[in-house]
Amino acid sequence: MLMQFSLNDYEYHVSDSWALFNLIQVCSMKGVIIPRFCYYSKLSIAGNCRMCLIEEEESPKLVASCAMPLADNMLIYTNSLRVRKSREGVLEFLLANHPLDCPICDQGGECDLQDQSMIFGGDRGRFYDFKRSVENKNCGPLIKTIMNRCIHCTRCVRFATEVAGISVLGLTGRGSSMQIGFYIQKLFSSEISGNVIDLCPVGASTSKPYAFTARPWELRSVFTIDPLDSLCSSIRIDVRGTSIARILPRTNSVLNLDWISDKIRFFYDGLYRQRIASPFVKVSGFFVPLSWRNTFGVLKKILASFRDQLVFTKKSFFFSSVFFGPSESLEVCFSVRNFLQFFSSNQLSQSDDACFSFWPSSRFANIEFADLLYFENLNIRYQSPVLNILFRNSYLKSNTLVVYSGSTPFNNYFYKHAGNEAYARSQMVRGKSWVSSLFQLFEFPLMLSASSLSASKFLNSNLHQFSIWEGRNAYASSVSVLHNQFLNVAKSSTILGENMFSLQYYLNCQPVEFKAPLALSVYHGHHGDRNLELTADVLLPSTTFVETNALFLNICGVVQMANRVFHLDKFRHARSSWKIFRAMLTVMGGCPVWSSFSSLVRSLWYEFPLYVVDYQYSGLWPKISLLSNLPLNHGVFSPYKGDALSKNSKVLSLCHLFLRSNLNVMF
């Protein structure tokens, strides 16, 4: 195919540097697909597979289209006789040592080598010697390696170095002795290591949990988001029957690019372990399963007895507290808010000096232009791995200054430490911290805080003329909770008095060890453990985010929909959280303002107007009021823990042990 390009045709893509485009990208824009193995748009150019060779009019030799920049009036041939012969020769060499195990390969049906051999390869081979054998590498509990299939595209090497930030993989040897491996027998310990599985084009790196589970044509795909990460990354869940076979990323140029964390990729086995199957009420120290109707009847009687005791003892104070977990949606938080408005006479509210508003002045995609990144009390690499990739790209491209205050994090790029959290905050409030002066020197500072107390408020009020982006902690649900103006109650006996009648409601979070004698402890969630036997009085089973439709607000203010994948028949008594609150309101004598999910969303939008966006567009920025006196999130040691789903995953538990045992050789 003959193609001629003019730079005038691509002026709308780039304004200053047309050399940002190479021939393989321009051909893709024109709808001409050039085969490739080593080239990947989010990685650097290697040019070692030689599959993308094309014929250029002024070049005596074939040129690699992935490494050749676009020039004015360039004339190329993408399907000439020389190009076809070159592709056949490349594939013949690649298949010379490739094992004949396609029927048992997990890459079957999605193998680039298999597809391109059928389209661009020859009809016979001329190599009949013995195939080489390469020892498999131990990459941990997530990645299964069969190195005999490796074609040395170096995608995994470039990903580990450029994206994950750990230089442990590389090429050793030459000729037939060349192989990819670890330099000094380090292990591939990274919170985003599972992306290597998607990058490998030939099945040399596959998923261990997915091995021999299903074929691609047997799977049904559902597009949804990742609520376990603060960015709410775009993902695809592949289902076989009534079970999740695998979870893959979806390309989102605004949020997560092509990457997802290992936590969301391999959490799904935790859906079936230690689930609460039906409502339970504690009787004489033992949990007794009841129906929903009977459980609500018991709750109504207990709360009525509390009110009778208040009247008898001439007390007029009934305290209710709600503790939120790390994965709650917008409509659930809104349901809790309406439940407290009806139930509690002293609704938890914010104080004027404890909150402030933030308004991001630019789209989140412009994070790469930031010249200062300030993190307060955050271990961003472990708490939000995908967000850390974007921050690392900003650091590498723009040489951004990165400053941390609080506990020293494990990070994969250089940063300056501003001291412990309490000292740094006090100095910033007094205006004596060198960090405060940095915000005056830099033009585009960005700030991310896990607990925006006085220091963050000070910066927000005094440096409002700058584009300060104020976040919360690294969990998406925290933004949802804060958006609905809730306050997590401190775990202190001074608040929960010994003679105070109170309702302690735990929404997918671990109950506190201290429990007032006159308190009713209700655990509302989908997973439980043995600690509930000591701390909870009532258990209400709810669904997970894969079993219901839900709206999630991510850390940059974008609202996205998590689509329902399936409902497990084994846990048929579980209900959506907003349905549980609607039923409780009805039983208690209230009148819920919503009767369906759509009416609930309309009520939410009427009181808190937001903008729903699709998966590819960041949309408009909403203005959100955030609370500042949340409990601090200290010491997040592992990227594989933090919520009920990941804690009950056997695969992620192995990853946690694997990380702890190899922490001394990771960095």
Side-chain angles (χ1 to χ4, degrees):
M1 179 179 293
L2 174 63
M3 301 186 67
Q4 186 173 6
F5 302 110
S6 175
L7 293 180
N8 297 328
D9 299 337
Y10 301 94
E11 286 181 354
Y12 64 92
H13 289 295
V14 287
S15 57
D16 298 328
S17 178
W18 53 264
L20 291 176
F21 285 98
N22 49 44
L23 290 180
I24 197 170
Q25 292 174 316
V26 175
C27 289
S28 298
M29 296 176 189
K30 290 289 187 178
V32 178
I33 304 300
I34 297 178
R36 80 291 301 267
F37 288 117
C38 67
Y39 175 78
Y40 196 79
S41 59
K42 302 301 187 298
L43 302 176
S44 62
I45 297 173
N48 54 6
C49 75
R50 317 309 293 175
M51 192 64 191
C52 65
L53 294 178
I54 59 174
E55 189 174 357
E56 205 266 326
E57 187 182 40
E58 297 182 358
S59 176
K61 296 182 179 180
L62 299 179
V63 298
S65 60
C66 66
M68 175 62 67
L70 177 65
D72 200 7
N73 295 322
M74 179 175 284
L75 191 66
I76 66 172
Y77 299 87
T78 62
N79 199 26
S80 64
L81 180 60
R82 291 180 62 192
V83 172
R84 290 199 301 269
K85 285 293 183 181
S86 171
R87 292 169 179 172
E88 290 179 4
V90 170
L91 287 170
E92 189 175 0
F93 274 110
L94 291 179
L95 293 174
N97 283 310
H98 198 78
L100 303 176
D101 58 353
C102 293
I104 63 168
C105 179
D106 279 323
Q107 199 81 4
E110 299 173 322
C111 179
D112 292 346
L113 182 60
Q114 194 177 63
D115 297 338
Q116 295 184 33
S117 297
M118 291 293 296
I119 301 173
F120 304 104
D123 58 351
R124 66 198 65 191
R126 292 171 288 179
F127 294 91
Y128 301 101
D129 293 336
F130 291 104
K131 295 179 181 291
R132 68 170 190 163
S133 178
V134 182
E135 183 181 0
N136 295 334
K137 306 300 186 295
N138 179 20
C139 292
L142 302 179
I143 303 173
K144 176 184 177 182
T145 60
I146 303 178
M147 302 308 296
N148 291 335
R149 303 171 183 166
C150 183
I151 61 171
H152 307 143
C153 69
T154 67
R155 284 187 180 183
C156 56
V157 177
R158 285 174 284 156
F159 173 81
T161 305
E162 300 167 11
V163 181
I166 52 174
S167 300
V168 295
L169 285 173
L171 277 171
T172 57
R174 293 182 64 85
S176 62
S177 300
M178 180 183 292
Q179 58 178 296
I180 289 179
F182 299 98
Y183 289 118
I184 52 175
Q185 294 303 315
K186 280 191 175 182
L187 299 175
F188 199 177
S189 300
S190 175
E191 65 281 357
I192 54 174
S193 61
N195 293 286
V196 173
I197 300 169
D198 305 325
L199 289 174
C200 185
V202 296
S205 298
T206 56
S207 172
K208 275 187 179 179
Y210 175 70
F212 310 116
T213 300
R215 289 294 191 181
W217 53 84
E218 300 175 336
L219 303 177
R220 174 177 61 90
S221 299
V222 179
F223 291 169
T224 182
I225 62 171
D226 168 20
L228 305 182
D229 186 83
S230 64
L231 211 55
C232 290
S233 305
S234 300
I235 61 174
R236 187 189 88 193
I237 299 180
D238 291 342
V239 182
R240 187 173 186 265
T242 58
S243 62
I244 296 178
R246 62 180 180 179
I247 297 177
L248 300 177
R250 288 188 299 117
T251 301
N252 189 324
S253 58
V254 176
L255 294 179
N256 60 302
L257 304 179
D258 291 343
W259 323 120
I260 58 173
S261 63
D262 292 345
K263 183 178 180 180
I264 187 61
R265 186 186 292 268
F266 297 105
F267 84 95
Y268 51 85
D269 64 316
L271 286 172
Y272 313 97
R273 302 179 70 240
Q274 300 202 69
R275 286 289 297 268
I276 302 176
S278 64
F280 288 88
V281 175
K282 183 177 288 186
V283 179
S284 301
F286 297 95
F287 282 115
V288 178
L290 298 176
S291 64
W292 280 105
R293 184 182 298 274
N294 293 335
T295 302
F296 288 147
V298 172
L299 279 175
K300 184 178 181 180
K301 290 181 180 179
I302 294 177
L303 296 177
S305 66
F306 279 3
R307 290 194 178 94
D308 294 341
Q309 291 292 330
L310 290 173
V311 174
F312 179 75
T313 56
K314 297 183 180 181
K315 295 180 179 179
S316 60
F317 190 76
F318 182 81
F319 194 83
S320 59
S321 57
V322 179
F323 297 85
F324 287 87
S327 298
E328 297 309 321
S329 59
L330 270 174
E331 71 275 359
V332 172
C333 297
F334 182 73
S335 303
V336 177
R337 187 173 184 271
N338 282 268
F339 174 74
L340 288 180
Q341 283 179 342
F342 165 78
F343 185 75
S344 179
S345 58
N346 57 312
Q347 178 197 354
L348 302 179
S349 60
Q350 58 180 354
S351 58
D352 294 335
D353 59 345
C355 70
F356 59 92
S357 298
F358 79 101
W359 187 285
S361 59
S362 61
R363 295 192 186 280
F364 188 68
N366 294 333
I367 189 177
E368 61 183 8
F369 300 108
D371 49 11
L372 171 63
L373 298 176
Y374 179 73
F375 302 103
E376 186 184 35
N377 193 36
L378 273 179
N379 192 341
I380 192 67
R381 178 180 175 184
Y382 280 0
Q383 290 177 272
S384 188
V386 183
L387 187 60
N388 185 63
I389 295 176
L390 304 180
F391 287 133
R392 187 173 185 273
N393 291 340
S394 175
Y395 169 79
L396 295 176
K397 291 180 181 179
S398 308
N399 198 20
T400 306
L401 177 62
V402 182
V403 181
Y404 274 88
S405 68
S407 57
T408 305
F410 293 107
N411 216 331
N412 49 8
Y413 49 93
F414 179 77
Y415 63 91
K416 291 187 177 181
H417 197 249
N420 62 66
E421 183 189 3
Y423 175 77
R425 185 188 300 119
S426 62
Q427 292 295 102
M428 291 178 70
V429 172
R430 298 172 185 174
K432 298 181 179 180
S433 174
W434 57 272
V435 179
S436 303
S437 61
L438 288 179
F439 281 88
Q440 302 286 349
L441 297 176
F442 289 88
E443 186 177 1
F444 300 107
L446 296 180
M447 179 175 179
L448 193 65
S449 175
S451 55
S452 57
L453 292 167
S454 52
S456 302
K457 185 182 178 182
F458 172 81
L459 288 174
N460 186 76
S461 58
N462 291 277
L463 304 175
H464 55 83
Q465 66 270 26
F466 299 106
S467 56
I468 300 178
W469 168 42
E470 184 75 29
R472 209 40 50 206
N473 63 16
Y475 294 109
S477 64
S478 299
V479 184
S480 300
V481 172
L482 291 165
H483 174 266
N484 283 273
Q485 302 176 1
F486 278 117
L487 176 64
N488 280 2
V489 180
K491 303 172 183 180
S492 171
S493 59
T494 59
I495 294 180
L496 304 177
E498 295 184 358
N499 298 321
M500 184 183 298
F501 296 99
S502 61
L503 170 65
Q504 300 178 26
Y505 203 98
Y506 300 94
L507 195 60
N508 273 316
C509 69
Q510 186 65 33
V512 296
E513 296 181 0
F514 173 81
K515 178 186 173 183
L518 301 180
L520 174 64
S521 178
V522 178
Y523 177 78
H524 173 144
H526 38 73
H527 286 77
D529 53 25
R530 292 186 176 181
N531 293 331
L532 295 179
E533 299 179 4
L534 303 175
T535 55
D537 299 317
V538 180
L539 304 182
L540 304 178
S542 64
T543 56
T544 60
F545 74 93
V546 299
E547 300 170 79
T548 184
N549 295 320
L551 289 173
F552 288 92
L553 179 68
N554 72 355
I555 201 170
C556 49
V558 179
V559 181
Q560 297 184 94
M561 171 72 78
N563 297 316
R564 179 179 179 271
V565 181
F566 52 67
H567 188 79
L568 298 173
D569 293 336
K570 186 178 181 181
F571 309 107
R572 59 185 180 276
H573 294 293
R575 297 291 184 270
S576 299
S577 294
W578 65 269
K579 291 183 179 180
I580 296 176
F581 286 111
R582 182 187 63 181
M584 290 177 64
L585 274 176
T586 304
V587 171
M588 301 300 174
C591 183
V593 295
W594 67 92
S595 58
S596 62
F597 180 77
S598 58
S599 62
L600 174 60
V601 172
R602 284 195 298 268
S603 301
L604 172 64
W605 251 244
Y606 179 77
E607 189 164 352
F608 299 104
L610 291 170
Y611 300 94
V612 179
V613 299
D614 57 19
Y615 298 102
Q616 302 297 329
Y617 179 63
S618 60
L620 301 174
W621 291 104
K623 190 173 183 180
I624 306 170
S625 296
L626 299 179
L627 296 179
S628 61
N629 48 355
L630 288 177
L632 305 183
N633 193 2
H634 288 289
V636 178
F637 173 76
S638 174
Y640 307 110
K641 300 293 182 181
D643 59 272
L645 288 170
S646 58
K647 287 179 181 179
N648 289 280
S649 171
K650 185 179 294 186
V651 175
L652 295 182
S653 297
L654 290 175
C655 294
H656 180 71
L657 296 176
F658 175 77
L659 176 65
R660 293 188 61 182
S661 61
N662 296 282
L663 191 62
N664 56 339
V665 297
M666 277 187 60
F667 307 102

